[in-house]
Amino acid sequence: MNTVTASDGTTIAYDRAGSGPAVILVAGAFSDRKDAMMTGLANAMAGQFTTYLYDRRGRGDSGDTAPYAPQREVEDLDALIAAAGGRAVVFGGSSGGSLALEAAAAGSAITHLVVFEPPYVVADRGPLPTAEELDALVRSGRRGEAVEQFLVQGAELPVEVVAGMKADPSWPHLESIAHTLVYEAAIVGPGPIPDARLNTISIPTLILYGSNSAPRMQSAAKVVAAAIPHSTLQVLQGQAHGALDAEDVATVLADFVRRTQPS
């Protein structure tokens, strides 16, 4: 394990592997640097890149200095980029993709941005749980309710599926990081998609979505791609939110970086 110190003094833990240009992987809700999907992506990319897989603040071995603001997570990512040599490719999945987009819009030293299904609200669905709603549940000790609300209202999982998850040994872990769902909601926002900020992104950007993903995820990816000048939109056949083929994503990312290198 390695660590960097963010500008507010928070310790951010990360693992480094591979060789080549730096790629920083930004996880979404509930995930940390030991998550199977994220480690699979890091391993698949390590043959061509130096991968940096980190615990976002409030998770794993990273700290969590109060008060929280999305800008603090942008600063965390900036600290990772500095540790990676001052410039890096960034891959973000789900709400981690929204964070990566915010960092790019803020001018972080990202050379190429690849985002999979940032879960913004689009016109064909209701609002996501707000940061205020989730924070109220967490602060009152109702962590399980916060997780359930996020999964049902935010991730659109059926109530009966979530009920089954409560019996799984992993449920206590989900409750233990319920406070980070407040952070996810603050980053993604209640809607609409932040076109004004996305319009300012000028680096090579690839927006991915799965052919088997929910219509809402596909629609959000398309709207995000339309908002970013000169971005590329690509569908991953047979894949879905939470069900990515790590080798396929690694190949797509490497091809995109190669194609868009300055001549």
Side-chain angles (χ1 to χ4, degrees), residues 2-261:
N2 303 282
T3 62
V4 294
T5 302
S7 59
D8 71 345
T10 303
T11 298
I12 302 299
Y14 70 95
D15 293 327
R16 172 179 168 170
S19 61
V23 175
I24 298 175
L25 305 176
V26 187
F30 299 114
S31 298
D32 58 24
R33 76 182 202 281
K34 299 184 185 302
D35 177 81
M37 182 178 296
M38 297 306 295
T39 57
L41 288 169
N43 291 337
M45 294 177 187
Q48 302 181 69
F49 298 94
T50 302
T51 61
Y52 292 77
L53 180 54
Y54 72 106
D55 287 331
R56 287 174 52 192
R57 63 173 56 208
R59 313 178 197 195
D61 295 305
S62 289
D64 193 18
T65 306
Y68 177 82
Q71 179 58 30
R72 302 291 82 77
E73 291 219 62
V74 172
E75 293 164 1
D76 298 344
L77 183 52
D78 286 340
L80 265 294
I81 293 172
R87 294 174 66 78
V89 178
V90 171
F91 171 86
S94 191
S95 51
S98 297
L99 172 56
L101 288 164
E102 291 292 341
S108 296
I110 302 171
T111 62
H112 301 75
L113 180 61
V114 181
V115 173
F116 177 74
E117 294 187 358
Y120 292 113
V121 174
V122 289
D124 57 357
R125 67 146 288 155
L128 300 175
T130 67
E132 292 75 18
E133 291 169 342
L134 295 170
D135 187 53
L137 290 172
V138 171
R139 288 182 180 276
S140 64
R142 297 152 65 191
R143 286 177 168 264
E145 290 182 43
V147 173
E148 184 172 9
Q149 183 172 346
F150 186 90
L151 291 173
V152 173
Q153 188 179 339
E156 300 180 316
L157 292 183
V159 173
E160 58 271 20
V161 171
V162 177
M165 292 174 64
K166 291 180 180 180
D168 191 271
S170 64
W171 186 261
H173 171 68
L174 300 184
E175 290 190 355
S176 73
I177 58 172
H179 58 286
T180 65
L181 301 178
V182 180
Y183 307 167
E184 308 296 354
I187 289 167
V188 175
I193 291 175
D195 290 348
R197 293 196 295 281
L198 299 182
N199 289 162
T200 68
I201 297 174
S202 59
I203 58 174
T205 301
L206 174 63
I207 306 298
L208 303 172
Y209 69 93
S211 65
N212 291 349
S213 292
R216 169 215 164 189
M217 295 297 181
Q218 297 188 18
S219 296
K222 293 171 184 177
V223 174
V224 168
I228 300 174
H230 311 299
S231 67
T232 301
L233 179 68
Q234 184 171 338
V235 59
L236 300 177
Q237 294 296 333
Q239 300 183 52
H241 207 84
L244 285 177
D245 182 311
E247 295 292 341
D248 188 24
V249 173
T251 299
V252 167
L253 183 144
D255 288 346
F256 176 71
V257 171
R258 190 178 303 112
R259 291 197 317 269
T260 54
Q261 288 286 15

